[in-house]
Amino acid sequence: MPRVPLIAGNWKMYKTVPEARDLATALVNSDLPAAVEVAVCPPFTALAEVGRVLTGSAVRLGAQDVFWEPQGAYTGEISPPMLADLRCHYVIVGHSERRQHFEESDEVVTRKVRASFSQGLVPILCVGERLEERDTGQTERVVTRQVEIVIAVLPPEQIRPLVIAYEPVWAIGTGRAATGQEANRVIGLIRETLGRKDAEAAAQARILYGGSVTPANAAEFSQQPEIDGALVGGASLDAPKFLAIVAAHGKSRA
Ligand code: PGA
């Protein structure tokens, strides 16, 4: 079975509820290619409203983060059952902005991945090297380790549906994307890492590229054999740009 490409929009800390409603409405009213899966990850405050707009459409809802406990005295946190209740399908876990600004460790990321699966949510696990790690030749080691730590505790049935986003930190929000070739190489390594645990997981798990994906470079990534789609930040805030990225992936799989 070929892997269906996934284009997921990470809206980060942008969009009030009315703005989120307008953006989601523009997406559901457009002609989306059937060969591509599309998801949007609005801020928590807009999940319910965007979920309402997406009802009956093929666009899936995702959250940007989650806490690992199902409930309790954790002021400010949002639990997996709360996201499942809002009919989230995906949840981004371990985004580099969470790792950097909120000091999320691999251990925390792992807990969040497990907790997400326990509620039927599909995690989009983000990994990627920082600039100084890349400059000192550590990309492979860093990325492999980030993946290995998480999959070590997962049964094969949970590694197979997992989505991984390879997002080099130096490429996020900088306008300086990796080349298609570079991203394809690292994603191939991630796939090999999955394969060491479970061959079927390597064949099935979708691995996306993220970091300054735009309509101008989307085709370059979509044509790479190892890359199964994109996690899009800035360009997902604008419906025509996001739709152009989706269309580029639809074309290369047509
Ligand atoms: P960007 O963000 O597309 O704005 O670089 C990607 C991400 O953070 O997922």
Side-chain angles (χ1 to χ4, degrees):
M1 277 282 281
R3 296 182 296 268
V4 176
L6 169 63
I7 308 299
N10 173 9
W11 296 359
K12 305 194 181 185
M13 200 175 70
Y14 293 98
K15 306 288 180 190
T16 60
V17 172
E19 288 166 352
R21 183 193 308 132
D22 288 350
L23 177 52
T25 304
L27 299 181
V28 299
N29 287 339
S30 64
D31 218 3
L32 297 168
V36 182
E37 190 187 329
V38 178
V40 292
C41 305
F44 288 129
T45 47
L47 280 173
E49 182 61 18
V50 170
R52 266 189 288 278
V53 174
L54 301 186
T55 305
S57 88
V59 180
R60 286 184 147 150
L61 186 64
Q64 299 175 16
D65 185 29
V66 66
F67 191 61
W68 59 79
E69 293 291 345
Q71 59 180 24
Y74 300 101
T75 302
E77 293 296 324
I78 306 284
S79 75
M82 291 170 175
L83 297 181
D85 185 40
L86 292 173
R87 282 171 296 160
C88 284
H89 182 85
Y90 292 111
V91 57
I92 298 172
V93 177
H95 190 281
S96 68
E97 286 152 15
R98 305 275 338 155
R99 294 180 191 255
Q100 187 185 335
H101 303 306
F102 304 95
E103 283 157 35
E104 284 194 9
S105 63
D106 287 313
E107 197 219 342
V108 161
V109 171
T110 305
R111 282 195 196 188
K112 291 183 171 187
V113 167
R114 295 184 77 177
S116 301
F117 272 127
S118 76
Q119 291 298 317
L121 299 161
V122 176
I124 300 177
L125 167 67
C126 298
V127 298
E129 81 285 1
R130 297 187 311 242
L131 185 60
E132 59 272 27
E133 292 166 336
R134 169 182 151 97
D135 288 347
T136 50
Q138 298 184 73
T139 299
E140 293 74 10
R141 192 184 61 77
V142 167
V143 171
T144 303
R145 193 171 163 275
Q146 286 173 334
V147 173
E148 275 173 347
I149 288 178
V150 175
I151 64 171
V153 300
L154 299 179
E157 307 79 67
Q158 290 185 341
I159 306 176
R160 293 170 194 164
L162 185 66
V163 177
I164 297 179
Y166 168 55
E167 299 203 302
V169 179
W170 48 268
I172 296 177
T174 58
R176 182 184 162 204
T179 64
Q181 226 183 354
E182 265 180 292
N184 190 67
R185 186 181 65 81
V186 179
I187 288 175
L189 287 173
I190 294 174
R191 204 173 292 290
E192 280 172 34
T193 305
L194 300 182
R196 284 196 288 277
K197 184 107 200 260
D198 181 59
E200 204 43 50
Q204 285 184 23
R206 287 177 297 176
I207 312 179
L208 320 180
Y209 168 75
S212 297
V213 176
T214 64
N217 62 23
E220 183 185 343
F221 295 110
S222 73
Q223 285 156 9
Q224 302 291 332
E226 296 289 353
I227 306 183
D228 303 318
L231 182 56
V232 186
S236 73
L237 298 173
D238 177 79
K241 283 190 192 156
F242 186 62
L243 290 166
I245 293 169
V246 172
H249 285 75
K251 269 194 211 108
S252 72
R253 308 280 159 151

